[in-house]
Every structure is written in structure tokens, then in C-alpha cells.
Amino acid sequence: MQQGGGSETEVTWEDQQNINKFGRLNNRFHELEDEIKFAKESKDNLEDASNELILTDEEVVRFQIGEVFAHVPKEEVESRIEEMQEATSKSLEKLEEEKESILAQMAELKKILYGKFKDSINLEED
């Protein structure tokens, strides 16, 4: 690998492992961004459903279970939506924590790799 001054920088096994780890973390980071986006959309949809349920006058409402709509008492639907909102919030929180952890690990690897390879390596998104 050539460095700016024309001298060679040897890539050791450990360096290659760090580069590979960075690549895996970067892939996971992008997967997490998609999962977080989906979780936020689900959370918003559940909030909308909860608000619509408050506005309805009916005692029995249609509730989707799998691919089928069933007639379910309003109180049961309210409790199910609450449980789903809590589960989605917890899931979103865990995803955000994992994302922060991955960003910290990536920053540490960037520091190590840029420290050794300087401009000979590009770890930035284009």
C-alpha cells in the first residue's frame, strides 16, 4: 500500500482484521438505520390507531390479527395497542443503543486505521 510520500505501509494481519471489523460494523450500522426507520413508522402507526380508537363510538371494532380482521371489544383492542406500543418503544430503544455502540466502535477503529494509513485508506461514506 502506498502512502503519500512514496513509502510503503505494510498491512499486518491485525490491520486487516480491523479493516474487516470496520466493514462488518458499517454494514450492521446501515441495517440498524433501516430497522430504526421501520420501528419509528410502526410506533407512529400504533399512535395513529390509538388516536382513532379514542374517537370511535363503537364498542366492538375490527382488529387485524395476522391477515384476518376480527371483531374485538374496544377495551381489549386498547390494551393490545398499548402493549404493542410498549414493545415497539423498548425495541426502538435497544436499536438506538446498539447504533450508538457501533458508532463508538467505528470511531475507535477509524482513529487506529487513519493513524497508521493516513490518506491511504478511506473509511468515509461517499
Side-chain angles (χ1 to χ4, degrees), residues 17-75:
Q17 294 305 310
N18 284 338
I19 293 168
N20 293 344
K21 183 175 181 181
F22 184 88
R24 286 190 303 272
L25 289 172
N26 192 42
N27 287 340
R28 180 62 184 144
F29 172 76
H30 289 292
E31 289 172 2
L32 280 171
E33 283 187 324
D34 292 340
E35 290 176 28
I36 288 169
K37 181 181 174 186
F38 179 75
K40 285 181 178 178
E41 288 173 0
S42 295
K43 186 177 177 182
D44 290 343
N45 290 341
L46 288 169
E47 184 67 32
D48 291 344
S50 178
N51 291 339
E52 288 294 323
L53 201 56
I54 290 170
L55 297 175
T56 188
D57 294 336
E58 300 175 27
E59 290 302 313
V60 176
V61 293
R62 293 184 331 152
F63 185 73
Q64 186 174 2
I65 303 172
E67 295 182 15
V68 178
F69 285 94
H71 292 281
V72 181
K74 182 178 174 180
E75 295 80 29

Side-chain angles (χ1 to χ4, degrees), residues 76-88:
E76 185 178 336
V77 172
E78 287 173 342
S79 66
R80 283 189 183 195
I81 288 177
E82 259 182 50
E83 291 170 6
M84 292 166 74
Q85 284 176 316
E86 289 173 15
T88 303

Side-chain angles (χ1 to χ4, degrees), residues 1-9:
M1 189 172 275
Q2 291 288 327
Q3 208 173 14
S7 62
E8 289 208 12
T9 303

Side-chain angles (χ1 to χ4, degrees), residues 85-126:
Q85 284 176 316
E86 289 173 15
T88 303
S89 292
K90 287 179 183 177
S91 172
L92 187 57
E93 191 176 303
K94 286 180 184 178
L95 291 171
E96 292 284 358
E97 288 173 4
E98 185 179 353
K99 179 181 170 184
E100 292 303 316
S101 170
I102 285 176
L103 284 174
Q105 291 176 58
M106 288 173 67
E108 186 64 31
L109 286 170
K110 277 184 183 181
K111 192 183 332 175
I112 293 167
L113 294 169
Y114 279 134
K116 180 167 184 178
F117 298 108
K118 304 200 182 353
D119 293 336
S120 298
I121 191 168
N122 182 13
L123 302 173
E124 302 301 322
E125 299 282 329
D126 289 341

